[in-house]
Amino acid sequence: MSKSNTSSSWIAQFKPGDRVEVSSDDPGFRGSWFAGTVIRREAKNPNRYVVEYDQLYEDESGEKLLQETLDWIQLRPPPPPPEKKKKVQFKFGDEVEAFHSDGWWEGAITAEHSGGKFAVFFRGSKEQIVFEEKDLRLRREWVKGKWEPPFEQVQREKEADSNCPKEVMKFTQGMQVEVTTDDDGFKGAWFAATIIEPSGEDEYLIEYKTLTNDDDTEFLREDIRACNIRPCPPETIVVDGFKVMDEVDAYYNEGWWVGVIAKVLINCKYVVYFKETDEKITFKQADLRPHQDWLNGKWVVPSEV
């Protein structure tokens, strides 16, 4: 059952032929929406509808589409698509719905990949999957006959700051952090640093702990936007080692770079594949850590790439 419609004082009205999306609280399906068509309204209970799904079938043969009788609170109209001139620009931290396994599933973008692809983390299944932009849409709620927030409001908020989330963490002087940059050759890497002082609105002067100036006489200092700063991730002890396809951070060139275990070698060594550079490099286990994403003020550990 969807959490979107919670007020009994307003009841949605649908008629035969209406296109709808259906939610469910069944185990394994929470946070998902499946497309269908209203067949009829029950005569004895006008708040219940018979819906035929677009892509769910009664059996494995796939010959007959599944029909279910559902309460009105499980239904909503399909979200209207944005106008072409108002194309959505997805970014890290966006709450989205991703089309997967014949339905739309609620998740959050945890990484941006080349080729217009995005990694989405699903809290319910603790999975992270990479999607093309065409298979994503901004998550909104159908509340009392309206979409909340309206798409125009979402777009204004995104256009106001296309590079940083609106809510950012506040950092204090002396705090140990990690910072990232979009500079060529460094995208996707995180470097240890110390907060020196605020240098502007949502911006901080930081001092790197491993990067030095041109003549190597002192550690490099830079002004960094708050959205490119995160706390140091908690230490995670890996007892049984890593396995193939585990997502990891590898310590390389003075920073932590996200990659995937491509091969397990002897003596606690691993071959790590870096998608951004299409490279494979061998690392000792001591130079690897499980990959974690700082998302909405919490550390998230994807269980699967």
Side-chain angles (χ1 to χ4, degrees), residues 190-242:
W190 289 88
F191 298 89
T194 303
I195 298 291
I196 302 301
E197 61 185 6
S199 58
E201 184 177 357
D202 290 333
E203 192 171 76
Y204 296 86
L205 175 65
I206 62 96
E207 182 176 274
Y208 290 97
K209 300 177 73 173
T210 56
L211 302 181
T212 58
N213 58 11
D214 293 337
D215 54 10
D216 291 331
T217 57
E218 57 186 17
F219 288 111
L220 180 64
R221 290 189 174 192
E222 274 191 321
D223 291 318
I224 300 291
R225 300 184 70 184
C227 59
N228 288 336
I229 305 174
R230 69 183 187 185
C232 295
E235 292 187 15
T236 304
I237 299 175
V238 180
V239 178
D240 299 323
F242 298 100

Side-chain angles (χ1 to χ4, degrees), residues 285-301:
Q285 183 169 321
D287 294 325
L288 300 176
R289 67 186 188 190
H291 178 69
Q292 302 179 71
D293 288 304
W294 179 248
L295 183 64
N296 297 329
K298 296 180 181 180
W299 285 106
V300 173
V301 182

